[in-house]
Amino acid sequence: LAKTTQPISMDSYEGQEVNITCSHNNIATNDYITWYQQFPSQGPRFIIQGYKTKVTNEVASLFIPADRKSSTLSLPRVSLSDTAVYYCLVGPSNGNAGNMLTFGGGTRLMVKP
Amino acid sequence: EPEVTQTPSHQVTQMGQEVILRCVPISNHLYFYWYRQILGQKVEFLVSFYNNEISEKSEIFDDQFSVERPDGSNFTLKIRSTKLEDSAMYFCASDRGGYNEQFFGPGTRLTVL
């Protein structure tokens, strides 16, 4: 599995855009990039997934450059409730098979008023 | 919106006792998982389950652990003889397979005294 590296922590203020970058230099051709969010004492929650270029949903955007060796999760106009740990995961999409997820340490985002 | 549920939310047990953690995955999902998170540490994969058998397991999932789907809805994790180091949050997850979008339950906090 490709190793991922992301900042341990980040601080931001309400209303700002937050960009969290993840490095995955050894990403394989069939790997997807997936981000999860985890609030204290809760299970991780899927945010967004992409393979290349840009993906956007109602929660976030994911930017992936052409070489796919990194990705950036962008959270527009964060609020206090976005304070959480954000995990970048890289792994294959196995068609109809299940997938064990390998979580790293994540990025602890603190949003301040 | 359908969700994964887990019971109990908190379980306290004595070292050496057996515990069973219960999960009800999302009804049309096919793949089921258990993860654990020791306080302040990473989320760690334990086991995946498909078609009534284990499909993958980690080194953590030794002979003290077992999983079962006793009926059409429940998915259980049994720890036969608990150790102090088994104290953790245990998360159940499920998905339809393929795209790494797993849905996690709220977790069971296991405390072994």
Side-chain angles (χ1 to χ4, degrees):
Chain A
L1 291 172
K3 180 174 161 44
T4 60
T5 303
Q6 50 183 127
I8 294 172
S9 65
M10 293 180 71
D11 288 345
S12 183
Y13 290 92
E14 281 191 292
Q16 288 189 333
E17 177 184 80
V18 170
N19 296 308
I20 306 174
T21 296
C22 178
S23 297
H24 28 81
N25 289 320
N26 297 324
I27 190 167
T29 304
N30 61 341
D31 283 343
Y32 281 72
I33 300 152
T34 311
W35 286 79
Y36 279 78
Q37 173 192 57
Q38 187 181 26
F39 297 113
S41 298
Q42 294 188 28
R45 184 175 76 102
F46 173 91
I47 303 175
I48 198 166
Q49 183 181 74
Y51 184 81
K52 61 180 179 181
T53 63
K54 177 183 173 184
V55 180
T56 297
N57 62 21
E58 63 277 5
V59 175
S61 294
L62 179 59
F63 298 91
I64 306 167
D67 66 6
R68 303 199 330 121
K69 294 184 185 297
S70 67
S71 58
T72 299
L73 175 73
S74 182
L75 305 172
R77 294 182 300 283
V78 293
S79 64
L80 296 176
S81 62
D82 292 315
T83 294
V85 179
Y86 292 83
Y87 299 98
C88 165
L89 285 75
V90 172
S93 173
N94 289 332
N96 291 325
N99 289 290
M100 56 168 277
L101 299 181
T102 301
F103 288 84
T107 297
R108 189 172 300 275
L109 174 65
M110 173 71 74
V111 180
K112 302 174 183 177
Chain B
E1 184 178 308
E3 57 184 21
V4 175
T5 59
Q6 291 184 241
T7 54
S9 56
H10 192 185
Q11 172 105 38
V12 181
T13 190
Q14 295 291 325
M15 190 170 55
Q17 295 295 303
E18 175 183 284
V19 294
I20 298 176
L21 310 184
R22 292 183 167 78
C23 168
V24 179
I26 293 172
S27 62
N28 63 348
H29 286 183
L30 302 174
Y31 299 88
F32 314 116
Y33 310 84
W34 284 100
Y35 294 82
R36 79 170 186 191
Q37 186 174 31
I38 295 170
L39 186 64
Q41 297 188 24
K42 300 176 186 179
V43 177
E44 299 173 291
F45 169 78
L46 293 178
V47 64
S48 60
F49 192 86
Y50 170 71
N51 201 26
N52 281 320
E53 58 183 31
I54 290 172
S55 46
E56 277 188 287
K57 59 182 181 179
S58 71
E59 291 178 355
I60 302 168
F61 194 88
D62 61 22
D63 291 344
Q64 292 300 310
F65 291 88
S66 62
V67 288
E68 194 178 32
R69 191 156 160 83
D71 53 42
S73 59
N74 289 285
F75 178 50
T76 62
L77 174 70
K78 182 193 289 187
I79 308 176
R80 267 183 263 285
S81 178
T82 49
K83 304 189 279 280
L84 295 176
E85 54 265 37
D86 294 327
S87 295
M89 280 289 280
Y90 287 81
F91 296 109
C92 172
S94 69
D95 66 26
R96 289 187 289 266
Y99 293 100
N100 292 326
E101 183 176 351
Q102 288 181 19
F103 292 78
F104 284 75
T108 293
R109 180 173 299 282
L110 176 65
T111 302
V112 182
L113 302 176

